[in-house]
Amino acid sequence: MEPITLTTERLLLRPFTRGDTDGILAACQDPDIQRWTVVPSPYGRADAEFFTEKLSPGGWDDDSAYGFAVVLRGSGALVGALGITRRNLPGTYEVGFWTAREHRGRGYTSEAVLAAARWTFTSLGGDRLEWRAEAGNVPSRAVALRTGFRMEGEQRSALLNKGVRRDAWIGALLPSDLGLPGTCTYLPADT
């Protein structure tokens, strides 16, 4: 897929460039990012260069993952990272994100997740956007809840992080949750 840029009131979500390497390197020194995400720990310059020069562009090239640098519209400061990844079931995607410490608590990540979700449903033909986080990652869960994800439970041993299997929380957002049409008919189970 050809990389694109999404715009919100305060943010740009754009493909990563080599120019983001220093910002990513600095943000990923945060112990919380290293603890709760799958970024390497310790996180070095080679990791940031691999991400900006190979991993992120490769996802766009092979249409498997779409990585966005989340930056402030005015200053271009790096707020965080957000990725949309294709899952095995057609029409199903997963969102992942981290926020630089100095930009937390301002609603930027929620704003970015909503923009990426709308793009997933309207441009990628998504019918389900999943969110997963290690059980206990309360800030990530708060973003998911603020953006309309419905919590679906806890999966045992569902995440592999730095060689350790961990339990995961999972939630999902559907196009109808945002007032958008889906591409397939959805027939919910009787409750």
Side-chain angles (χ1 to χ4, degrees):
M1 169 174 275
E2 200 60 37
I4 57 102
T5 297
L6 305 174
T7 304
T8 72
E9 181 181 334
R10 302 179 294 169
L11 305 169
L12 291 178
L13 283 71
R14 59 162 176 75
F16 286 97
T17 68
R18 286 185 174 149
D20 296 314
T21 301
D22 289 339
I24 291 168
L25 177 62
C28 288
Q29 300 311 303
D30 178 3
D32 288 334
I33 290 175
Q34 290 186 24
R35 166 62 181 92
W36 294 111
T37 73
V38 295
V39 303
S41 180
Y43 195 88
R45 174 162 287 284
D47 298 310
E49 289 171 348
F50 175 74
F51 181 77
T52 59
E53 296 173 24
K54 302 272 193 249
L55 190 61
S56 187
W60 287 95
D61 289 345
D62 69 13
D63 209 26
S64 64
Y66 316 102
F68 293 98
V70 180
V71 301
L72 294 176
R73 283 181 67 176
S75 68
L78 182 69
V79 168
L82 183 144
I84 301 291
T85 305
R86 285 187 184 274
R87 304 287 294 167
N88 290 334
L89 183 63
T92 303
Y93 296 83
E94 183 174 344
V95 64
F97 48 82
W98 55 255
T99 309
R101 180 181 298 277
E102 65 272 18
H103 294 292
R104 293 181 190 147
R106 298 183 183 142
Y108 294 138
T109 303
S110 296
E111 189 174 323
V113 167
L114 282 171
R118 286 186 186 95
W119 175 74
T120 300
F121 296 141
T122 59
S123 295
L124 298 179
D127 280 314
R128 177 179 166 87
L129 183 60
E130 296 178 343
W131 160 87
R132 279 183 180 74
E134 184 179 327
N137 188 344
V138 173
S140 183
R141 184 182 178 115
V143 169
L145 288 169
R146 275 194 302 276
T147 53
F149 282 77
R150 179 186 277 179
M151 295 299 116
E152 295 178 334
E154 186 172 311
Q155 298 174 316
R156 296 182 322 142
S157 188
L159 288 178
L160 183 63
N161 189 354
K162 298 167 190 69
V164 177
R165 294 199 67 93
R166 300 177 184 268
D167 294 344
W169 287 331
I170 185 170
L173 188 69
L174 306 180
S176 58
D177 296 331
L178 299 180
L180 299 169
T183 62
C184 294
T185 301
Y186 167 50
L187 183 61
D190 290 335
T191 55

